[in-house]
Amino acid sequence: MVVQSFDCFKLWILEQQEDEEMLVPHSDVVDGTQPMEVAQVEPASTVENQQVEEPPSMKFTWTIENFSRLNTKKHYSDIFVVGGYKWRILIFPKGNNVDHLSMYLDVADSSALPYGWSRYAQFSLAVVNQIHHKYSIRKDTQHQFNARESDWGFTSFMPLSDLYDPSRGYLVNDTVVVEAEVAVRKILDYWSYDSKKETGYVGLKNQGATCYMNSLLQTLYHIPYFRKAVYHMPTTENDMPIGSIPLALQSLFYKLQYNDTSVATKELTKSFGWDTYDSFMQHDVQELNRVLCEKLEDKMKGTVVEGTIQQLFEGHHMNYIECINVDYKSTRRESFYDLQLDVKGCRDVYASFDKYVEVERLEGDNKYHAEEHGLQDAKKGVLFIDFPPVLQLQLKRFEYDFMRDTMVKINDRYEFPLQLDLDREDGKYLSPDADRSVRNLYMLH
């Protein structure tokens, strides 16, 4: 297998998902907890395939004055009409049992509508930054509204601490500006929808709290080189899927490719040794990925697909310590299958890579002991020797909070591009040993 035969390189981003930010109707939130259901979002292409013409849409701006003096739990905007339907925005100024602003799109006349009515809308809600408009916070979703779920949106839209801090630009002269962009779509009949016919794909069933696993499996499935290697692993008709991870994965991939309806993951999770309880526990997606790949790597040894995992995902970097006042440098080459990138304090992927290769000064009480030169001022860092054809990035969305003695999620805005150029700024991330003739340009996958 020649890795260089890839038509284009792919960037694959894994995000730690020990908990999910779920899209929920506000009425389902009790005492700050969220239901187990995850909002199922139909792909945009699906909706476009079914719509007859461009849907009616509009942008509604709501200026809320004397915001800090609002003393009601719920606060509604004026009614606005889109697609012949009446809508309004619902906010919880002090949060809906959370320390975040809660915000939803609401069907204004839902109580007066006849039994069985339903309407489908794609929409975004935003809190405008009145100082720097580019820092406005906007979130998109879509929902089929009905009598049981006549409002839909975000329980944890943005931290109240950010909203009420005048220096952040969201609350200016005690005024908050909220925007809603709403497009009313043709109602989808989920029961008769044929995913295979419309898209060519069928998808995976959520077994409990397994969305992070499903995301990982779908990503691996859509790397053709990887999928073919899985099919080539030697298994026998005497193997049982629930006792063999390779066979269970082969079976899963085959069903994803040829089934007409969505595929269950129970055989695979049983091969992991999970029981029902485990399926409702959030696991670390990076750890799951490593365990899965290690099992496959072992099964591929001595076969025609030996080394596939390594060829696809392995890169190398160089750890170095270089003395400032004497001629001494220590280097160590290491391999990696994925990279953990800091999110906190970083606005985008490039800022995370800048932080990854940031030079640390070893001086004062932290001087470096350089063999025959003794304690020396030095600089320490990491540079990349080569990147793999498929680059796996894990975003460190969680950190330990010493004050609360718990892991907390970082919900700061974070951007990543469709194309990632790791040769930028004259190869600032590359070590002197790197092959500069190789183009490190990745596509988001």
Side-chain angles (χ1 to χ4, degrees):
M1 289 183 239
V2 184
V3 177
Q4 283 76 7
S5 66
F6 273 74
D7 293 332
C8 67
F9 286 163
K10 293 183 177 68
L11 165 68
W12 170 28
I13 292 184
L14 293 180
E15 179 170 328
Q16 252 182 321
Q17 289 178 312
E18 291 177 10
D19 79 340
E20 287 187 291
E21 181 182 1
M22 299 181 185
L23 300 167
V24 294
H26 87 263
S27 54
D28 283 353
V29 180
V30 182
D31 298 329
T33 60
Q34 294 176 318
M36 289 303 297
E37 285 182 61
V38 182
Q40 293 189 342
V41 182
E42 288 288 326
S45 59
T46 298
V47 178
E48 288 162 7
N49 287 341
Q50 299 204 13
Q51 71 188 56
V52 177
E53 56 189 19
E54 192 63 26
S57 62
M58 74 164 287
K59 182 176 180 178
F60 173 75
T61 302
W62 181 21
T63 303
I64 311 169
E65 297 176 344
N66 302 316
F67 188 83
S68 64
R69 285 183 250 167
L70 294 175
N71 56 11
T72 56
K73 184 180 181 183
K74 301 180 185 180
H75 189 53
Y76 290 96
S77 72
D78 290 339
I79 292 171
F80 57 97
V81 178
V82 186
Y85 297 132
K86 295 178 180 178
W87 307 90
R88 58 187 176 177
I89 303 169
L90 163 63
I91 66 167
F92 286 65
K94 306 297 183 186
N96 184 15
N97 298 315
V98 292
D99 56 358
H100 285 64
L101 173 71
S102 304
M103 183 155 58
Y104 313 89
L105 180 66
D106 180 66
V107 178
D109 56 352
S110 60
S111 60
L113 290 169
Y115 173 80
W117 67 266
S118 182
R119 66 191 60 165
Y120 180 80
Q122 287 183 309
F123 62 94
S124 68
L125 299 173
V127 174
V128 175
N129 191 300
Q130 299 166 62
I131 297 174
H132 299 291
H133 197 270
K134 67 178 181 178
Y135 294 127
S136 298
I137 298 174
R138 184 177 305 278
K139 294 188 178 184
D140 305 274
T141 185
Q142 47 195 325
H143 183 59
Q144 188 155 318
F145 292 84
N146 53 49
R148 190 173 65 88
E149 293 171 348
S150 60
D151 56 68
W152 193 260
F154 307 90
T155 299
S156 299
F157 185 83
M158 67 177 292
L160 292 174
S161 56
D162 290 351
L163 178 64
Y164 283 92
D165 181 352
S167 67
R168 301 299 290 266
Y170 303 106
L171 182 67
V172 175
N173 297 325
D174 207 20
T175 298
V176 169
V177 179
V178 171
E179 290 179 349
E181 291 189 39
V182 182
V184 177
R185 301 273 186 178
K186 177 183 175 183
I187 292 175
L188 294 172
D189 182 354
Y190 289 104
W191 300 108
S192 64
Y193 176 70
D194 189 332
S195 173
K196 185 81 168 186
K197 180 182 175 183
E198 297 289 343
T199 70
Y201 302 103
V202 293
L204 294 165
K205 294 175 182 173
N206 193 322
Q207 201 176 316
T210 56
C211 50
Y212 67 96
M213 180 185 72
N214 288 1
S215 300
L216 172 62
L217 294 172
Q218 289 276 20
T219 310
L220 291 172
Y221 171 80
H222 282 287
I223 303 172
Y225 198 74
F226 180 89
R227 189 185 344 149
K228 288 176 184 176
V230 167
Y231 285 155
H232 277 90
M233 288 186 301
T235 52
T236 72
E237 59 187 23
N238 296 323
D239 290 345
M240 293 292 289
I242 60 172
S244 166
I245 290 177
L247 183 59
L249 191 62
Q250 283 178 342
S251 174
L252 185 83
F253 279 6
Y254 179 85
K255 289 172 184 173
L256 279 173
Q257 195 165 349
Y258 294 107
N259 267 26
D260 292 326
T261 56
S262 56
V263 180
T265 56
K266 286 184 179 178
E267 276 187 352
L268 184 64
T269 55
K270 282 183 179 177
S271 75
F272 295 161
W274 290 4
D275 57 19
T276 306
Y277 174 78
D278 289 302
S279 298
F280 284 91
M281 290 285 291
Q282 289 286 353
H283 296 262
D284 186 324
V285 70
Q286 184 195 28
E287 184 183 353
L288 175 66
N289 182 40
R290 286 185 176 179
V291 169
L292 183 61
C293 286
E294 280 173 15
K295 296 285 186 185
L296 298 179
E297 208 166 15
D298 286 342
K299 193 68 177 177
M300 290 176 181
K301 283 179 181 173
T303 74
V304 292
V305 288
E306 181 174 356
T308 295
I309 304 295
Q310 194 174 6
Q311 288 178 334
L312 279 177
F313 304 124
E314 186 180 51
H316 300 89
H317 50 51
M318 178 188 76
N319 292 282
Y320 68 87
I321 298 177
E322 185 175 3
C323 292
I324 295 169
N325 302 314
V326 298
D327 184 17
Y328 183 85
K329 186 175 183 178
S330 170
T331 61
R332 187 177 73 256
R333 176 189 171 105
E334 290 184 349
S335 65
F336 63 87
Y337 275 25
D338 54 54
L339 297 174
Q340 292 193 53
L341 297 184
D342 285 329
V343 170
K344 190 170 185 180
C346 301
R347 67 179 299 274
D348 59 17
V349 173
Y350 289 123
S352 296
F353 268 98
D354 291 345
K355 194 170 181 181
Y356 199 95
V357 301
E358 204 169 53
V359 177
E360 179 187 352
R361 295 292 290 251
L362 304 178
E363 52 193 8
D365 294 337
N366 196 30
K367 285 187 178 184
Y368 174 64
H369 190 277
E371 295 182 1
E372 69 269 16
H373 299 289
L375 293 174
Q376 293 289 332
D377 290 342
K379 52 186 182 180
K380 176 184 178 183
V382 177
L383 290 170
F384 291 94
I385 299 168
D386 58 59
F387 292 102
V390 181
L391 176 63
Q392 304 182 87
L393 303 180
Q394 183 209 8
L395 307 182
K396 292 160 67 174
R397 282 281 188 186
F398 286 84
E399 69 171 10
Y400 182 71
D401 187 320
F402 288 96
M403 298 299 290
R404 288 190 271 179
D405 188 27
T406 187
M407 297 294 286
V408 295
K409 187 171 185 181
I410 300 161
N411 286 309
D412 300 357
R413 180 182 176 87
Y414 186 84
E415 300 175 3
F416 44 91
L418 295 176
Q419 278 198 346
L420 184 70
D421 188 356
L422 295 178
D423 293 327
R424 67 196 288 259
E425 296 182 33
D426 199 28
K428 64 190 287 189
Y429 306 131
L430 301 175
S431 79
D433 301 334
D435 182 355
R436 300 289 173 129
S437 67
V438 175
R439 184 74 173 100
N440 295 300
L441 180 67
Y442 288 85
M443 305 299 294
L444 181 65
H445 180 61

